[in-house]
Amino acid sequence: MEIFISDIPVEGLHHSGEFPASIFELSPDDSIRPMGKVSYDITMYAFEELVAFSGKLKGPFQLQCSTCLEYVDFLADYPEWTSDLDLEEGQKSFDLKEIIREDFLLNLPSYARCDELIEGRECPKANDVEAIEGTTEPPTSERPDVWDALDDLS
Ligand SMILES: [Zn+2]
């Protein structure tokens, strides 16, 4: 959605609406899965060298747990979202969709663990990770015993 900077009045330009999940253009095996429309309700203010945004962003996602790799539901809800866009010289417009897309991706928790995202959940692999971190010995490699095999030949 193209916004012309000259259309933004001094008191700000208000926009609200929804974008489809497809704006994210993420592959299905990405650790972030958009699960539906994202909504926005924002006001834009134009300054000499930047456009400032403030308002609300909300949308349903699934995030992949960094430990058990399961996807868990996460409602991104940013009721006091602010952002700004540095304008290049001569820039007359920008794509609001791109701003909102990038800001969701920046604000979503990265490398989250499912038990941090969902209250009361226990990550099924949490104990495995602690067990691995607790061991100091490197795993012994399974080496076929070639000398025994040579002895059998003689
Ligand atoms: Zn997990």
Side-chain angles (χ1 to χ4, degrees):
M1 180 195 281
E2 193 170 22
I3 305 283
F4 285 90
I5 292 147
S6 56
D7 288 346
I8 303 176
V10 179
E11 67 271 21
L13 179 66
H14 181 253
H15 259 282
S16 63
E18 291 176 331
F19 287 121
S22 58
I23 65 165
F24 291 98
E25 294 174 356
L26 296 170
S27 85
D29 56 2
D30 195 280
S31 63
I32 296 170
R33 281 181 182 164
M35 298 304 289
K37 283 183 262 190
V38 294
S39 64
Y40 60 92
D41 186 348
I42 59 170
T43 307
M44 296 162 253
Y45 303 91
F47 298 96
E48 224 164 275
E49 288 173 350
L50 62 86
V51 175
F53 305 87
S54 80
K56 300 175 204 169
L57 297 181
K58 198 171 185 174
F61 291 83
Q62 282 191 343
L63 302 179
Q64 190 176 33
C65 172
S66 60
T67 300
C68 68
L69 306 182
E70 280 179 36
Y71 285 86
V72 295
D73 291 328
F74 181 79
L75 180 67
D77 186 3
Y78 305 116
E80 292 174 22
W81 171 67
T82 58
S83 186
D84 52 56
L85 168 73
D86 289 326
L87 296 175
E88 303 190 3
E89 203 165 323
Q91 185 171 350
K92 291 191 168 55
S93 68
F94 60 89
D95 189 353
L96 181 62
K97 182 183 75 188
E98 279 301 309
I99 307 283
I100 288 176
R101 170 188 188 275
E102 302 246 313
D103 271 65
F104 267 111
L105 297 179
L106 282 173
N107 282 293
L108 286 168
S110 50
Y111 304 107
R113 221 168 77 178
C114 59
D115 48 9
E116 294 165 352
L117 298 171
I118 298 181
E119 208 176 324
R121 181 183 160 101
E122 278 184 43
C123 180
K125 296 273 172 153
N127 291 331
D128 295 8
V129 170
E130 275 146 31
I132 291 164
E133 284 167 353
T135 52
T136 47
E137 300 264 321
T140 49
S141 59
E142 292 287 316
R143 193 169 57 92
D145 202 340
V146 288
W147 299 113
D148 280 355
L150 286 173
D151 281 350
D152 288 346
L153 291 174
S154 58

